[in-house]
Amino acid sequence: MTTDIVFETQDLHVSAPQQDGSVIPIVKGVDFQVPRGKVVALIGESGSGKTTISLSSLGYCKPGLAFSGGQARLLGEDLCSQTNEDLRSIRGNKVAYLAQSAAATFNPAMTINEQVIESVVSRGLMTRESADARALELYQALDLPNPDSIGARYPHQVSGGQLQRLMAAMALCGKPALLVLDEPTTALDVTTQIEVLMAFKKVIREEGTAAIYVSHDLAVVAQIADYVVVLRDGEVKERGPTAAIINHPRHPYTKRLMAAASPWSAETLSRIDTEDVTHRTTVAEAVNVSAGYGITWNGAPRFKALESIDMTIRKGSTVGVIGESGSGKSTLARVVAGLLPPFDGDLLLDGRQLEPSYRRRTRHELQRIQFVYQMADTALNPRQTVGDIIGRPLEFYLGLKGKEKRARVDELLTLVDLSPEFASRHPDALSGGQKQRVNLARSLAAEPEVLLCDEVTSALDTIVAGNVIELLQRLQKDIGVSIVFISHDLSTVASFADEIVVMNQGKIVERGPTKQILSDPQHSYTQLLISSVPEMRQGWLEDTLASRGSQ
Amino acid sequence: MFTLILKRMAIGFVTICAVSIIIFLGTKVLPGDAAQIRLGQEATPENLAALRERLGLDLPMWQQYWNWLNAFVHGDLGKSLAGDAPVNELIADRYKNTLIVSVLTAAVGVPISLILGITAAMFPGSSYDRVLTLVTVSLVAAPEFFTATLLVLIFVFWLGIGNAVVIGSIDGKSFWELIQHFALPIGVMCLIVASQLIRMTRAAVLNVMSSPYIEMAILKGLSRQRIILRHAVPNAVGPIVNIIALNLAYLVTGVIVVEIFFAYSGLATLIVQGVQTRDFVVVQAVGMLFCAAYVVLMLIADIAAILSNPRLRHPK
Amino acid sequence: MNSTPHQPASYMDEHFVAPAAEDELFEELQDSPPKRKFRLSPAGKIGVSIVAFWLLIALFGPFLAPYGENDLPFPDDYSEFQAPRPGAWLGTDFSDRDILSRLMFGASRTIGISIFATLLAYMVGVALGIGAAVSGPRVDMVLSRINDAFLSLPTIMLGLVVVAAVGSSIPILIVTAGLVYATVVYRLARAIGVEIMVMDFVEAARLRGENTFWLVWREIWPNAAMPLISDFGLRLIYVILFISSLSFLGLGVQPPRADWGSMVRENLGAFQSYGGSVIPVVAPAVAIATLTIAINLIVDDISAFSGGKLSGRI
């Protein structure tokens, strides 16, 4: 046994025992090692078992799961067979865990500092004074603002990005040999992610700790990991040094994953050959639109979500609306759809004034602008069959009935790459990607001119999202529908929008043809946003921060 | 947070007003008024009108309501229609019994229930937990007088302790003597409170125990004791206080049934007699007392929930 | 250790690739669990058989009862609280009537009143609750505040006030219990309605231009029906307890008619007349308890099936 290996799994099996005595395997024989001081990334989509595997390093299984074979050895000791008492002395001491949502994992009733140091202090590993000093050192190392006073706050009093870093301090306080990070930046905006990522990388290097980094995002992993393990359905598909995996992926699944991620890189730009669409006729338009929530006496909203927005939607082309959370991008879609009537400005359809509220729009106007929801789970009525769901707009707008309607439903299903037999299913018998396709088919059934797509791919796994984007592109070519594609993900938008609108804090900061925006951003926010999207190459993080620092 | 509590108290005040209107109007819809009931056979149009004027029944409805409420707030609960006795006097004889049983129930039942509920939550799925769940579920679903019957059968008829009715005066009795005196009513009430309280406490603690920060505490390697005392309990206190107040409010129904069952006189027997004899002055007065107690307990429940929320206690 | 300096310290430095066919498709994994079938637990089965037993008694009891509810089985041998004996298998009550017969008559009254009252509570509560959820904030606000005022009274107090005002008869009992519990059903139906109203599929239907009728019947009702129906059992328990308590207080079903709650009350004297049978008190109390506990056993199975969400809503 070599002590150079901090953690390793050997033919690890985890399964979910069912009430009727049967067993559903979750992890099916996984082998990997974490060498001392190295970062190993576990990459996979939902259901790949990546979180379950990472938790085995703490000897922990989520409720409802159990170890069912193999070993998980931390510093040579197998954790699968240990008692809770033995594990207690290891957890927080030799191995520490960092969860995806810091907001939920901090106890709301205790101050941050108390939670950061309690693991070491309550076990007498450090005195309170030395633990406080250690915490302060970590706050500074993690570039937290006001490191002297931030620990005295309660978790809800600091921002999400800060809380995520504070959780890292909590994990590192006991100087663990192994750190487990479970999607630690997934819930963050890209401009925040880059800072947190850098803070993590720096502190891991300084502490010399080994780490398991769980993520679905290969580009992020490329920045921080030494080794990558590609997982699918509880099995290792590919494994090796990061450079080998991202530069020469060999397993077809890894290749597929990389292709679907449409990662951002300098060469992406050269591949974009968007046709100039500015000469095309305008279908719909927002002119100087302002909107918000909470009505005051003079009709102006208390919280302004949108200010003086101008947007043009051209025939058969795609406008990509990009922005971070709170930028007002989704509000914009709701305003165009009439769900949130603006308090100022005009909405035009074919040059004619459109009623602000959908309630007062004509059926024909409603038909021409269709809204596609982000969460297909809640956008489809679980008590209706797919046939009913797609058939209703056909009946409602086009007056189709009986055989005609059924034939059209079949056509639409085929259009979104589903077989016609799906018509008799209920939504709960569909996968996430299939639901999103039905969601899309329902909107297409109305034969609209404008599709408002609100983050339609963000709830989907990488490969499935890639397929949905491909489908949208093909549909636009075939039907000539105009698309407003709203997303927080620049690389997705860049891959198929003709024009891009960049939003920040309720305002449009920059707009123009995709290629122009990406290659020559004028506004500083656009520049920040574009430079924050991780590229799939090692060293990008350092290069970016170095170039920012030199400016 | 302060404004939230003020807001909740304002809502409580409005609720009590609304409740008083419901009770006042509820007893006004019946045909025949106090004057008719009092005079009965002797009613002539002249003396009816005279009595109505004296009782203020000729005034508009809102003014009658205002007079009634005004008197109530100043401690004058009106005169009983049967026998002309002031309601204050009727209550003076009886409120002690009701109060003693309720307070003793709270003093005995609440701590025991909390301990049982919390321990059940600490060992979910154990045979202890399952037996406790079975018993409490059955008690919740069974009527109060079934529980009373059960206790009487066990203690009076089987073990030969105590009496199926509560008789005798409470004057000059010490705390322990009072507990003995009311042993069976308190026992029944405790069971009624406990059945709900144990279930709800268990659910509240389990809810906290399944939160991500408890999982985090486990993964931080903290001791079981520390997880429960430092992480779970502080977050469960609010919900538990809320649950206690709620359940004490539910006792209103229990106390009525228990007083009738054990045939001792208290406020509940008074209101039931009032309903039977259609003495709506008594019904109004006692009903209002019960409802006010109920509303105040509900208020405490909500304020406890607000106070225990760290997000509200430590604003940004 | 048999590793030489030239070998990598860890096999992680090797590029491992799992065997795979080049044309593998990587179908998306189905993310929904297989549908569970509703199955009664052993306790639930006991519950169903007890409830079925009492429903049969409620339906046919009055026809099968050996005596009329006010007949004396032994007119020649008058004595209160007689112990069970041939001809009166559960003994006699305080005025020497047959307990078994009164229990059977009482079953149809207690259960009948409760079921009708619960149905009324559902009709009123669901109509207003879903209505409030659909009608927008103003109507919702007004209805909910009024409802809150009624909910802030203990149910038994509401019952007492109504009986004090208009007296007691079976139709009044049904209406009173129905309206008192309509407040609770209203709150549940409104909560479920509001929860569904904010779902994207409802917004999608509104955005399509559908009218309120379609929204309620095709989008909301099909989703609200299951949780509401599975709550029916729990509501029925509370209504049975409410009716029995009122009867026990002497304010519900009036003598000489038999009803389980009033039977307990009128025979309480059995606890004082030593030597007499206690069955007249115990039998109706046990009857109610077995019925409500049995319903509860079924409710537990249903709520375990529907994810235990129901109890969290109330």
Side-chain angles (χ1 to χ4, degrees):
Chain A
M1 183 200 71
T2 160
T3 49
D4 276 345
I5 304 300
V6 177
F7 176 73
E8 69 177 323
T9 62
Q10 209 171 57
D11 196 28
L12 181 71
H13 283 77
V14 181
S15 53
Q18 302 295 297
Q19 293 220 314
D20 55 12
S22 67
V23 164
I24 296 176
I26 305 293
V27 176
K28 307 159 184 167
V30 164
D31 291 299
F32 75 98
Q33 292 179 324
V34 183
R36 182 168 298 280
K38 301 286 184 187
V39 180
V40 175
L42 301 183
I43 277 277
E45 298 180 295
S46 55
S48 63
K50 55 188 192 297
T51 295
T52 309
I53 296 167
S54 72
L55 283 171
S56 74
S57 65
L58 293 113
Y60 184 78
C61 282
K62 291 261 179 195
L65 299 181
F67 293 120
S68 51
Q71 290 189 328
R73 284 201 297 269
L74 181 72
L75 302 170
E77 279 178 81
D78 180 25
L79 302 178
C80 296
S81 52
Q82 295 208 6
T83 64
N84 277 330
E85 204 53 52
D86 297 333
L87 290 168
R88 197 166 292 149
S89 63
I90 294 168
R91 293 172 182 165
N93 179 22
K94 291 181 179 155
V95 52
Y97 182 70
L98 232 135
Q100 177 170 0
S101 164
T105 33
F106 269 102
N107 184 339
M110 283 166 80
T111 62
I112 291 165
N113 202 55
E114 250 182 292
Q115 300 186 57
V116 167
I117 62 169
E118 71 168 335
S119 177
V120 285
V121 173
S122 72
R123 275 182 285 191
L125 296 173
M126 276 189 210
T127 63
R128 177 166 269 279
E129 289 70 34
S130 55
D132 279 339
R134 164 87 179 139
L136 182 61
E137 183 188 308
L138 284 166
Y139 298 155
Q140 280 160 346
L142 286 158
D143 293 325
L144 281 158
N146 310 321
D148 303 312
S149 61
I150 197 163
R153 297 195 180 190
Y154 283 85
H156 63 274
Q157 294 171 323
V158 303
S159 76
Q162 290 167 8
L163 209 52
Q164 210 69 33
R165 277 180 275 172
L166 287 163
M167 192 161 56
M170 177 160 86
L172 289 167
C173 195
K175 298 189 181 169
L178 178 67
L179 186 64
V180 180
L181 303 98
D182 189 1
E183 301 258 14
T185 64
T186 305
L188 304 174
D189 280 325
V190 275
T191 53
T192 321
Q193 168 176 279
I194 188 169
E195 292 164 19
V196 175
L197 208 53
M198 195 58 225
F200 283 171
K201 187 166 184 176
K202 187 175 124 201
V203 84
I204 287 173
R205 200 173 44 221
E206 283 170 7
E207 299 279 325
T209 170
I212 296 176
Y213 194 101
V214 176
S215 180
H216 69 284
D217 190 340
L218 267 167
V220 166
V221 156
Q223 309 313 317
I224 201 161
D226 300 296
Y227 302 100
V228 173
V229 179
V230 181
L231 294 159
R232 180 165 200 276
D233 201 14
E235 288 169 355
V236 174
K237 291 295 171 202
E238 190 162 359
R239 183 184 64 208
T242 305
I245 300 281
I246 63 167
N247 297 328
H248 312 286
R250 299 221 305 255
H251 194 278
Y253 177 70
T254 318
K255 289 180 186 167
R256 189 72 188 275
L257 203 58
M258 299 222 11
S262 59
W264 184 242
S265 72
E267 60 195 283
T268 317
L269 267 181
S270 60
R271 279 195 274 112
I272 298 174
D273 56 342
T274 45
E275 175 190 348
D276 181 23
V277 292
T278 44
H279 63 275
R280 294 199 190 165
T281 50
T282 300
V283 181
E285 218 174 336
V287 184
N288 198 26
V289 164
S290 300
Y293 302 93
I295 300 153
T296 54
W297 55 275
N298 63 356
R302 198 167 305 156
F303 307 106
K304 281 192 185 173
L306 291 179
E307 269 187 84
S308 313
I309 299 291
D310 292 304
M311 185 174 69
T312 308
I313 302 164
R314 289 178 233 277
K315 192 157 181 51
S317 77
T318 299
V319 185
V321 180
I322 182 131
E324 294 182 296
S325 52
S327 63
K329 57 187 191 303
S330 288
T331 309
L332 180 57
R334 296 181 70 79
V335 166
V336 175
L339 286 165
L340 180 72
F343 75 91
D344 197 15
D346 296 309
L347 296 168
L348 305 173
L349 184 63
D350 281 340
R352 276 204 312 274
Q353 188 92 14
L354 205 53
E355 284 285 348
S357 166
Y358 76 90
R359 288 170 208 270
R360 305 191 52 191
R361 292 184 187 172
T362 65
R363 189 178 285 202
H364 186 59
E365 286 167 342
L366 292 172
Q367 178 190 351
R368 295 176 62 192
I369 302 179
Q370 288 287 315
F371 196 94
V372 188
Y373 288 88
Q374 169 179 7
M375 306 292 291
D377 274 330
T378 59
L380 306 179
N381 188 336
R383 298 278 160 189
Q384 293 177 0
T385 62
V386 169
D388 290 338
I389 290 169
I390 301 176
R392 180 59 188 170
L394 296 173
E395 196 181 310
F396 189 76
Y397 292 129
L398 310 172
L400 296 187
K401 287 208 166 67
K403 218 185 249 169
E404 250 183 317
K405 183 170 95 175
R406 260 202 312 281
R408 182 70 186 136
V409 168
D410 289 356
E411 269 177 51
L412 284 162
L413 282 172
T414 318
L415 192 65
V416 295
D417 299 331
L418 291 174
S419 98
E421 68 202 40
F422 275 82
S424 59
R425 290 207 202 170
H426 281 90
D428 56 5
L430 305 179
S431 71
Q434 288 164 346
K435 278 183 217 168
Q436 200 54 281
R437 285 166 194 272
V438 172
N439 193 12
L440 212 52
R442 171 176 60 186
S443 304
L444 293 171
E447 300 183 358
E449 272 154 70
V450 178
L451 271 188
L452 300 169
C453 300
D454 184 13
E455 299 267 16
V456 287
T457 56
S458 35
L460 302 175
D461 275 327
T462 319
I463 291 181
V464 184
N467 293 344
V468 170
I469 297 290
E470 254 170 52
L471 174 64
L472 276 171
Q473 274 174 299
R474 205 192 69 216
L475 289 171
Q476 185 167 51
K477 210 177 280 169
D478 294 354
I479 312 173
V481 65
S482 311
I483 296 175
V484 178
F485 189 86
I486 291 154
S487 178
H488 68 284
D489 182 359
L490 188 62
S491 45
T492 310
V493 174
S495 64
F496 89 114
D498 299 301
E499 292 172 280
I500 282 185
V501 167
V502 183
M503 292 191 66
N504 186 30
Q505 295 178 344
K507 291 185 192 132
I508 292 181
V509 296
E510 194 163 357
R511 94 184 70 226
T514 304
K515 193 157 191 167
Q516 183 194 321
I517 294 276
L518 296 179
S519 57
D520 187 19
Q522 297 300 312
H523 194 277
S524 58
Y525 177 75
T526 315
Q527 290 163 355
L528 177 72
L529 196 64
I530 292 174
S531 69
S532 298
V533 178
E535 291 178 22
M536 197 163 307
R537 63 181 173 86
Q538 288 177 294
W540 164 82
L541 184 61
E542 286 76 6
D543 293 353
T544 306
L545 290 170
S547 76
R548 276 188 197 176
S550 67
Q551 271 169 19
Chain B
M1 178 182 72
F2 193 62
T3 51
L4 254 181
I5 292 178
L6 275 184
K7 212 167 156 187
R8 182 60 189 84
M9 288 174 90
I11 292 175
F13 179 75
V14 172
T15 311
I16 290 197
C17 292
V19 165
S20 68
I21 293 174
I22 294 174
I23 288 180
F24 183 79
L25 289 184
T27 50
K28 279 285 173 199
V29 293
L30 79 167
D33 58 17
Q36 272 175 331
I37 293 174
R38 265 196 219 192
L39 292 173
Q41 300 290 324
E42 300 150 32
T44 64
E46 291 79 42
N47 60 12
L48 254 180
L51 187 59
R52 276 194 184 136
E53 202 183 325
R54 190 162 67 81
L55 295 175
L57 295 176
D58 54 340
L59 296 170
M61 193 67 98
W62 66 268
Q63 214 161 349
Q64 288 187 42
Y65 168 70
W66 177 249
N67 290 343
W68 170 71
L69 194 65
N70 199 35
F72 187 89
V73 172
H74 289 92
D76 175 10
L77 305 185
K79 274 186 181 172
S80 163
L81 296 182
D84 234 8
V87 177
N88 293 47
E89 269 174 37
L90 293 175
I91 287 176
D93 294 341
R94 298 159 179 258
Y95 84 94
K96 276 188 200 151
N97 283 342
T98 305
L99 201 62
I100 288 171
V101 172
S102 306
V103 169
L104 288 181
T105 300
V108 177
V110 170
I112 294 178
S113 308
L114 290 186
I115 293 170
L116 289 176
I118 292 173
T119 44
M122 282 167 67
F123 308 101
S126 65
S127 44
Y128 163 70
D129 178 39
R130 272 185 295 193
V131 169
L132 203 61
T133 303
L134 187 74
V135 173
T136 52
V137 163
S138 307
L139 282 179
V140 168
E144 287 91 356
F145 51 78
F146 171 77
T147 314
T149 307
L150 206 64
L151 283 196
V152 168
L153 280 183
I154 292 173
F155 286 99
V156 181
F157 284 82
W158 187 35
L159 301 174
I161 315 168
N163 201 320
V165 287
V166 175
I167 24 177
S169 160
I170 55 166
D171 291 335
K173 283 203 160 85
S174 71
F175 181 74
W176 287 113
E177 283 167 334
L178 278 176
I179 289 193
Q180 278 175 351
H181 184 74
F182 288 117
L184 279 175
I186 292 173
V188 174
M189 297 262 284
C190 280
L191 282 178
I192 297 167
V193 175
S195 57
Q196 282 282 8
L197 197 48
I198 291 173
R199 265 163 72 91
M200 291 166 90
T201 309
R202 175 180 176 275
V205 175
L206 273 185
N207 186 32
V208 171
M209 288 301 281
S210 65
S211 55
Y213 55 80
I214 297 291
E215 186 173 59
M216 192 65 201
I218 296 172
L219 292 177
K220 274 160 85 177
L222 302 182
S223 66
R224 189 183 179 82
Q225 196 188 355
R226 193 176 171 84
I227 291 173
I228 287 168
L229 293 182
R230 290 304 307 273
H231 289 267
V233 170
N235 285 293
V237 164
I240 288 177
V241 173
N242 180 293
I243 290 164
I244 292 172
L246 272 180
N247 280 283
L248 292 181
Y250 293 151
L251 265 186
V252 171
T253 320
V255 85
I256 295 176
V257 171
V258 166
E259 282 183 19
I260 300 286
F261 196 97
F262 292 102
Y264 63 94
S265 62
L267 290 182
T269 39
L270 187 64
I271 193 171
V272 172
Q273 280 166 14
V275 174
Q276 277 162 339
T277 57
R278 292 200 154 187
D279 187 343
F280 58 77
V281 176
V282 167
V283 175
Q284 275 173 354
V286 183
M288 200 53 212
L289 285 178
F290 272 114
C291 291
Y294 187 82
V295 170
V296 167
L297 283 167
M298 289 287 196
L299 186 64
I300 294 173
D302 282 1
I303 291 178
I306 296 173
L307 281 176
S308 65
N309 187 338
R311 277 161 212 279
L312 296 173
R313 217 169 44 217
H314 310 284
K316 282 198 178 188
Chain C
M1 239 170 299
N2 51 8
S3 61
T4 66
H6 298 292
Q7 274 183 318
S10 160
Y11 61 68
M12 293 298 280
D13 287 315
E14 296 160 20
H15 191 157
F16 162 85
V17 183
E22 195 63 41
D23 56 349
E24 206 177 327
L25 269 172
F26 309 115
E27 287 283 322
E28 189 189 353
L29 306 166
Q30 202 94 346
D31 55 3
S32 58
K35 269 201 170 174
R36 287 181 303 160
K37 272 192 183 154
F38 178 66
R39 272 163 111 190
L40 282 170
S41 66
K45 282 179 188 153
I46 296 173
V48 168
S49 31
I50 294 176
V51 171
F53 169 76
W54 283 124
L55 280 179
L56 287 177
I57 298 283
L59 280 175
F60 305 111
F63 308 106
L64 300 174
Y67 305 96
E69 58 180 323
N70 289 307
D71 291 350
L72 303 184
F74 315 110
D76 309 328
D77 178 18
Y78 186 91
S79 130
E80 59 182 32
F81 303 129
Q82 289 193 46
R85 64 188 252 196
W89 297 104
L90 290 176
T92 65
D93 74 353
F94 75 107
S95 51
D96 207 23
R97 292 169 297 190
D98 180 33
I99 289 295
L100 182 64
S101 302
R102 284 183 71 74
L103 214 51
M104 290 167 98
F105 276 93
S108 52
R109 221 162 267 137
T110 301
I111 296 174
I113 292 173
S114 304
I115 288 180
F116 280 115
T118 314
L119 286 174
L120 179 68
Y122 261 78
M123 284 194 286
V124 177
V126 169
L128 290 177
I130 299 281
V134 176
S135 310
R138 289 215 185 109
V139 179
D140 182 23
M141 173 87 175
V142 172
L143 281 176
S144 296
R145 285 295 89 75
I146 295 176
N147 194 60
D148 283 352
F150 280 99
L151 272 175
S152 66
L153 291 164
T155 51
I156 200 85
M157 276 297 153
L158 273 177
L160 288 185
V161 170
V162 173
V163 173
V166 289
S168 188
S169 70
I170 288 180
I172 287 177
L173 267 182
I174 293 178
V175 173
T176 306
L179 294 184
V180 165
Y181 280 91
T183 58
V184 186
V185 177
Y186 166 88
R187 192 166 60 164
L188 179 72
R190 181 190 164 275
I192 294 173
V194 166
E195 209 171 288
I196 299 170
M197 276 301 283
V198 300
M199 297 289 245
D200 289 340
F201 65 81
V202 176
E203 195 177 271
R206 290 207 287 192
L207 208 46
R208 199 188 305 139
E210 303 281 6
N211 57 26
T212 311
F213 183 79
W214 171 279
L215 284 182
V216 171
W217 279 108
R218 300 303 296 273
E219 307 286 347
I220 296 173
W221 178 247
N223 289 290
M226 255 323 275
L228 282 172
I229 290 169
S230 38
D231 180 68
F232 187 87
L234 204 57
R235 246 6 84 201
L236 184 59
I237 294 175
Y238 284 113
V239 172
I240 293 173
L241 294 181
F242 176 79
I243 297 278
S244 317
S245 294
L246 271 187
S247 289
F248 172 79
L249 297 176
L251 308 172
V253 176
Q254 296 298 313
R257 286 178 170 155
D259 153 279
W260 290 350
S262 55
M263 283 174 74
V264 175
R265 170 67 181 278
E266 65 197 14
N267 291 311
L268 269 182
F271 278 164
Q272 278 110 62
S273 69
Y274 289 95
S277 162
V278 293
I279 289 178
V281 182
V282 175
V286 167
I288 299 171
T290 49
L291 176 62
T292 50
I293 293 172
I295 299 174
N296 206 13
L297 292 177
I298 306 173
V299 169
D300 274 359
D301 272 12
I302 294 175
S303 65
F305 175 71
S306 58
K309 262 181 167 172
L310 284 170
S311 46
R313 277 213 184 91
I314 317 154

